[in-house]
Amino acid sequence: MIKPGGTKNYGWGRTSLYAGMMIINYFYGHRYSTCRSYKQRWRYYCQYLRQHHQIRDIRKINLTIQKQFAARLKSLVEEDSMAISYAVNLLSTVNIILKLMRQDSKLTLSPRKEIGARTYARTKIPLGRDAAEVKITVKAIHDKGAIPHSVVVDIARRFYLRRKEACLLDVTNAMREAISEGKIRISRGTKGGAGKNKNRSIPVTQDDILVLTKASILQGDNNNLIPQGQTLVQFMASVNYYWSKCKTETLGTIRDLRASGACNRYYTLTGHQAPIINGGVITAGPETHTFAKNQISRELGHGRPNICVAYIGRGHR
């Protein structure tokens, strides 16, 4: 790639916003979710620079300005106007882009020191734990004529998948695995492409096999459920659209289905409710609780069991 040239923004473009977008496209353009998130955060940062410092050239940024930006984020967190996780992600993304643009780390700040430690623990009971309630929404989407979309929602709920993972799942191959092995492997659409290098498998029931078999007929000769003529991005957006239009009043987002599935899986493995549902109290034995966290973490596609608290909550005895 040839940089636009010039002196402003280290040769990446005339404005700070454009220069950052060029950097992101060049280094992360092959990863859609990362690229989109980075661009949103960089846009926020550039708006801050214009509004508070009248800066449009990254060469004018110094450590003092960066400290002020971090302090601004921290104040928004303390006012409950911004989630600490988002503030930490904002500063982390700015660190990355400035390092790539400047080719040094002189303006890098520690998000943990400047803003605080990010917490992953879930504090609200996830919506969508009642399978019958979700099935009502699935049927409503189906009745709208959006059959692939309804199947994606059903699969996301059953196997607690991310929306992208459910959209890209080869249900025909999954059906074969389910029948022969009693489990399905997840490798497509995983966060950061990590699924290709992880042995991530999810157990299935006879009812799951029936759903996968029907979905396989719908998929036909394709290798996923994305309709002909639609891109992944378009299909994901339309799944969201039909979900928001057809869901019952007591359901949240599609993402909630993932946490709901994790809580249901915890109950299956332990015979006890997840801490978030049980008022923050762990009633399962220590070994059983640890085993469940490790197992659920693997099935969700995370390598760290501590991340499991983002789905089942943190508890005490």
Side-chain angles (χ1 to χ4, degrees), residues 191-230:
K191 204 169 184 178
K196 299 171 184 175
N197 303 315
K198 288 184 180 180
N199 184 21
R200 178 184 171 194
S201 58
I202 300 172
V204 299
T205 64
Q206 287 300 315
D207 190 44
D208 293 335
I209 293 176
L210 180 61
V211 168
L212 289 172
T213 302
K214 291 181 179 179
S216 176
I217 297 171
L218 176 66
Q219 179 175 294
D221 295 331
N222 299 326
N223 60 7
N224 55 52
L225 289 166
I226 301 175
Q228 293 290 334
Q230 281 195 34

Side-chain angles (χ1 to χ4, degrees), residues 12 37 39 43 67 98 179 182 213 257 264 269 292 294 308:
W12 284 97
S37 298
K39 285 182 177 180
R43 183 173 285 106
K67 287 275 190 179
L98 289 181
I179 293 172
T213 302
L257 299 181
N264 291 340
L269 292 170
N294 290 338
C308 200

